[in-house]
């Protein structure tokens, strides 16, 4: 920071520069936080007044009627939250487990065709997700007949190439000398992975868990495709039931969106330390 400040010999120029940076950061933070603020404030509005489409930044009164309306609106309101929790938890656990194993294999093990296989995986990342949705839907619904099941919601996301790539890049930075020393001491591959690699990979595993859980929890398109009954819908799909041809239950919908955001906040702040460490990995050497 001191070296950076030396470029400004004038105190006034430094003051202007810092002022512009702070102003930009404050405006960016406000633009980022405002949708969340508006969602929470709207959720405390009265369901009847919200039907009149009268929105305000500051609520005239605080009411929990929208939250009661959300849970009483449909008998499956609790099922939507439970389904999202089951699907997101299973996808997160499977991704952390399989991506860690695959990343270790690609980073630290030697086997025939490793580079070719990894190149094919990277190539699959270049294919837009929309292109694979139709054949994936035919496979899950028509071939395996898994429509409207947890398997249909979980199986397509059991592990992603991006997560394998992320773990592989992180584990490549772990010195080989540690593994070689463990082998000399007589450690087998499972023991090396469990006692050495996993403790050193907590950071990337936490990042993996947060990003995967958020993606699975917020996914709308795939659960919308493979579920056709309300009891199997996730919370993101269930919220669309508050919209009708002539009106939208805006405040109850915002109440449901606020409730659905709570697990993500809890997960993020509980793993915040590891997440911030993961973001800065490789940024500083020495």
């Amino acid at each position: 920071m001191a070296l950076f400040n030396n470029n400004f010999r004038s105190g006034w120029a430094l003051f202007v520069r810092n002022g512009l940076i702070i102003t930009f950061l404050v405006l960016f933070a406000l633009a980022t936080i405002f949708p969340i603020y508006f969602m929470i404030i709207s959720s405390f509005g009265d369901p009847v007044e919200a039907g009149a489409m009268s929105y305000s930044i500051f609520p005239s009164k605080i009411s929990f009627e929208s939250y009661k309306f959300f849970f009483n609106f449909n008998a499956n309101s609790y099922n939507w939250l439970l389904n999202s929790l089951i699907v997101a938890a299973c996808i997160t656990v499977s991704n952390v487990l399989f991506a860690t194993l695959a990343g270790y294999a690609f980073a630290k093990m030697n086997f025939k065709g490793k580079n070719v296989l990894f190149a094919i995986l990277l190539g699959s990342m270049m294919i837009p997700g929309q292109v694979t949705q139709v054949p994936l839907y035919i496979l899950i619904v028509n071939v395996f007949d898994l429509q409207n099941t947890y398997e249909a919601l979980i199986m397509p996301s059991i592990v992603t190439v991006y997560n394998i790539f992320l773990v592989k890049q992180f584990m490549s930075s772990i010195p080989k000398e540690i593994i070689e020393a463990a082998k000399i001491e007589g450690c087998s591959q499972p023991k090396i992975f469990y006692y050495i690699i996993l403790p050193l990979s907590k950071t990337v595993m936490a990042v993996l868990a947060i990003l995967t859980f958020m993606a699975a929890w917020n996914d709308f398109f795939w659960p919308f495709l493979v579920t056709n009954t309300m009891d199997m819908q996730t919370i993101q799909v269930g919220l669309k039931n508050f919209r009708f041809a002539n009106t939208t239950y805006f405040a109850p919908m915002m109440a449901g969106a606020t409730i659905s955001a709570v697990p993500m906040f809890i997960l993020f702040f509980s793993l915040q330390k590891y997440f911030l460490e993961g973001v800065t990995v490789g940024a500083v050497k020495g």
Side-chain angles (χ1 to χ4, degrees), residues 21-284:
I21 292 175
I22 293 172
T23 303
F24 172 77
L25 291 177
V26 169
L27 291 176
F28 185 77
L30 290 175
T32 304
I33 294 173
F34 182 75
I36 301 174
Y37 166 79
F38 189 70
M39 176 186 72
I40 296 174
I41 290 300
S42 301
S43 69
F44 290 107
D46 187 84
V48 178
E49 291 182 0
M53 306 294 285
S54 58
Y55 307 118
S56 60
I57 297 178
F58 302 103
S60 57
K61 65 177 183 180
I62 299 296
S63 170
F64 291 95
E65 292 301 318
S66 296
Y67 288 89
K68 295 179 182 177
F69 190 100
F70 170 76
F71 287 110
N72 296 328
F73 172 72
N74 191 292
N76 294 304
S77 297
Y78 292 97
N79 288 339
W80 299 337
L81 291 167
L82 181 62
N83 292 339
S84 286
L85 188 61
I86 292 173
V87 172
C90 290
I91 290 175
T92 301
V93 171
S94 66
N95 269 271
V96 171
L97 176 63
F98 294 124
T100 305
L101 289 170
Y104 174 68
F106 280 117
K108 297 300 180 187
M109 297 180 71
N110 294 318
F111 55 90
K112 193 174 182 180
K114 182 178 78 171
N115 294 331
V116 175
L117 182 59
F118 190 65
I120 294 174
L121 287 177
L122 289 182
S124 68
M125 291 176 63
M126 310 305 164
I127 302 173
Q130 292 80 0
V131 175
T132 61
Q133 291 295 315
V134 173
L136 188 61
Y137 177 82
I138 294 173
L139 190 67
I140 293 293
V141 175
N142 295 347
V143 178
F144 293 128
D145 194 21
L146 293 175
Q147 189 173 23
N148 221 36
T149 62
Y150 285 120
E151 289 84 352
L153 293 168
I154 295 171
M155 282 181 61
S157 304
I158 199 165
V159 65
T160 64
V161 177
Y162 174 76
N163 287 339
I164 295 174
F165 173 74
L166 184 67
V167 175
K168 188 262 182 185
Q169 293 302 105
F170 177 84
M171 289 185 177
S172 296
S173 64
I174 297 176
K176 290 183 178 178
E177 289 76 8
I178 298 177
I179 299 174
E180 295 299 328
K183 287 180 180 177
I184 293 173
E185 294 295 328
C187 273
S188 60
Q189 283 290 355
K191 286 185 177 179
I192 292 173
F193 179 76
Y194 184 77
Y195 289 107
I196 298 176
I197 299 300
L198 284 186
L200 293 175
S201 305
K202 287 181 180 176
T203 302
V204 71
M205 291 170 69
V207 174
L208 211 66
I210 293 173
L211 296 180
T212 305
F213 188 88
M214 290 176 63
W217 186 273
N218 289 325
D219 190 17
F220 172 82
F221 187 65
W222 181 252
F224 179 68
L225 278 181
V226 297
T227 55
N228 53 18
T229 60
M230 296 184 74
D231 63 310
M232 280 304 298
Q233 290 177 346
T234 59
I235 181 63
Q236 306 300 341
V237 181
L239 289 177
K240 74 175 179 55
N241 295 311
F242 289 88
R243 182 177 178 82
F244 300 93
N246 299 321
T247 185
T248 300
Y249 291 147
F250 184 74
M253 182 188 289
M254 291 298 103
T258 303
I259 293 171
S260 71
V262 171
M264 287 190 293
F265 285 130
I266 294 174
L267 179 68
F268 176 79
F269 286 111
S270 62
L271 299 176
Q272 183 183 20
K273 174 186 173 184
Y274 296 109
F275 182 77
L276 294 178
E277 288 178 359
V279 171
T280 58
V281 166
V284 180

